Amino acid sequence: MTGSRLLGSGSALPERLVTNAELSERIDTSDEWIVERTGIRQRYIAGEDETTASLATKAARAALKDAGVTAGEVDLIVLATATPDNTFPATATKVQDALGCNGCVAFDVAAVCSGFLYALATADSLLTTGMGKCALVIGAETFSRILDWEDRTTCVLFGDGAGAIVLGAPDLAKPAREGGPGVLASKLHADGAHHDLLYVDGGPSSTQTVGHLRMKGREVFRHAVANLSSVLGEVLDDAQIKAEAIDWVVPHQANRRILDATAKKLGIPPEKVIVTVDQHANTSAASVPLALDTARRDGRIVPGNLVMFEAMGGGFTWGASLMRV
Ligand code: UT7
């Protein structure tokens, strides 16, 4: 088995930028507290006419353009989100219709902040087993719609956005594990015992409401560093790669301190970690592809680089993937 290849990436942000200073006019917080505890300086918040599907479509179009792939060539759309436009149908089907690739496989994945890792591993498995030749893997969120804007312990942490990649089926002549491009290894985990540390207090089957995000931040933080360090070790072992060989880590952007602590545990220098949490805040499933696209566009991540993706979120869910881009 050999892994699927990255053909292109794209991203989209809402028009409205909200700084920490603007938030501190509305709630009891300060730019100083937010920057010191999280590294976040600003976030983008969706307007009335912007939804998870519209941001996802914009990111997907950019990724297809970057890959030089037409919508008609897409066999599979896997969209990770915890903030779908509707309870059903899947937001992926809205994106499919907007792109005009009706008829291909399209579904959503719900693994919250680890959603992109779950979507990537799913799409990679389906392409590797011959379900198609080309996949759009998207992470898109409008977390602003599920935040309790009176709760300063959570509302300052999140933002809206979308990121997408185009994955191509494995190149059998140049396997990823023999130096070719593609996914070398992926590992996913979940532990439902921690449901109450990070969840939304509503839903169609429980309260018939959308609900608001609730988080015990300090406890999530502790688990995040431990789980991420362990899953990164598993992926490196599986791929038989040493941490020093990694060119870039593209982590889920929840908190600058989690990124630093995880990199330190693995012995990866901070210069190799892509950080966008200062610009985008925590965009849940969108954060990894948004950070990847940012670093490809500014020329840091280039073809041939070994890139580690990792994320941890509500559930708990967590995972990591190693890819030669
Ligand atoms: O993406 C999914 C995964 N999510 C995460 O990974 C998030 C993980 N957790 C974190 O990033 C951090 O725990 C937080 C950023 C959420 C919080 O940082 P912390 O250093 O753990 O702070 P804390 O929750 O222990 O709160 C410290 C103090 C408290 O005051 P007291 O009780 O010590 O007087 C809070 O009330 O900071 C207070 N506080 C605030 N002050 C100003 C909490 N939120 C704010 C705020 N502005 N926005």
Side-chain angles (χ1 to χ4, degrees):
M1 288 286 181
T2 178
S4 316
R5 295 160 301 132
L6 179 75
L7 302 182
S9 65
S11 56
L13 291 163
E15 272 179 35
R16 182 153 179 258
L17 187 157
V18 177
T19 61
N20 292 345
E22 189 180 336
L23 282 185
S24 65
E25 285 164 18
R26 283 194 264 149
I27 51 166
D28 181 17
T29 189
S30 64
D31 178 53
E32 197 185 4
W33 188 95
I34 301 171
V35 172
E36 191 189 306
R37 300 290 176 128
T38 71
I40 296 165
R41 294 184 181 276
Q42 59 177 44
R43 74 283 296 137
Y44 293 83
I45 300 292
E48 273 176 31
D49 57 338
E50 291 170 314
T51 68
T52 295
S54 74
L55 293 168
T57 302
K58 217 168 158 186
R61 283 205 175 104
L64 288 171
K65 189 171 176 215
D66 183 47
V69 167
T70 63
E73 292 173 89
V74 174
D75 300 310
L76 172 68
I77 301 175
V78 188
L79 187 148
T81 190
T83 46
D85 280 24
N86 297 82
T87 302
F88 81 82
T91 301
T93 61
K94 267 189 132 174
V95 174
Q96 179 201 49
D97 189 44
L99 294 176
C101 46
N102 307 56
C104 74
V105 180
F107 60 95
D108 287 359
V109 165
V112 206
C113 297
S114 318
F116 184 76
L117 273 298
Y118 270 69
L120 174 61
T122 305
D124 177 40
S125 301
L126 292 173
L127 292 182
T128 304
T129 52
M131 272 283 278
K133 287 193 165 54
C134 180
L136 257 174
V137 186
I138 307 169
E141 303 278 15
T142 43
F143 257 49
S144 61
R145 306 260 157 81
I146 55 164
L147 295 175
D148 175 353
W149 287 98
E150 305 291 313
D151 176 10
R152 69 173 183 171
T153 69
T154 54
C155 75
V156 303
L157 305 174
F158 296 90
D160 301 332
I165 62 168
V166 180
L167 270 189
D171 181 348
L172 299 177
K174 278 194 264 166
R177 291 209 175 201
E178 291 170 27
V183 176
L184 285 101
S186 295
K187 294 282 172 193
L188 301 174
H189 292 284
D191 184 354
H194 302 294
H195 173 281
D196 294 350
L197 296 183
L198 176 51
Y199 68 107
V200 169
D201 62 4
S205 185
S206 54
T207 60
Q208 298 84 56
T209 61
V210 172
H212 290 116
L213 181 147
R214 305 293 174 206
M215 176 166 74
K216 295 199 174 97
R218 201 180 296 184
E219 287 165 71
V220 176
F221 190 108
R222 198 166 46 80
H223 284 279
V225 177
N227 290 344
L228 289 171
S229 307
S230 125
V231 76
L232 289 171
E234 281 179 68
V235 169
L236 289 173
D237 282 351
D238 185 8
Q240 298 182 319
I241 295 275
K242 293 213 179 322
E244 303 87 83
I246 296 174
D247 293 301
W248 295 104
V249 181
V250 181
H252 170 48
Q253 310 283 323
N255 185 320
R256 178 73 206 237
R257 290 186 293 141
I258 297 178
L259 308 191
D260 292 344
T262 310
K264 197 170 169 193
K265 268 200 156 186
L266 277 174
I268 295 172
E271 312 84 77
K272 289 188 170 185
V273 180
I274 303 294
V275 179
T276 53
V277 69
D278 54 334
Q279 300 299 306
H280 304 151
N282 182 347
T283 57
S284 183
S287 87
V288 169
L290 250 170
L292 170 68
D293 189 52
T294 303
R296 284 183 80 237
R297 276 188 293 116
D298 68 21
R300 277 178 290 172
I301 296 183
V302 294
N305 281 171
L306 255 188
V307 181
M308 180 71 93
F309 304 104
E310 44 107 320
M312 143 100 189
F316 288 150
T317 54
W318 64 103
S321 269
L322 184 65
M323 184 195 268
R324 190 173 291 104
V325 299

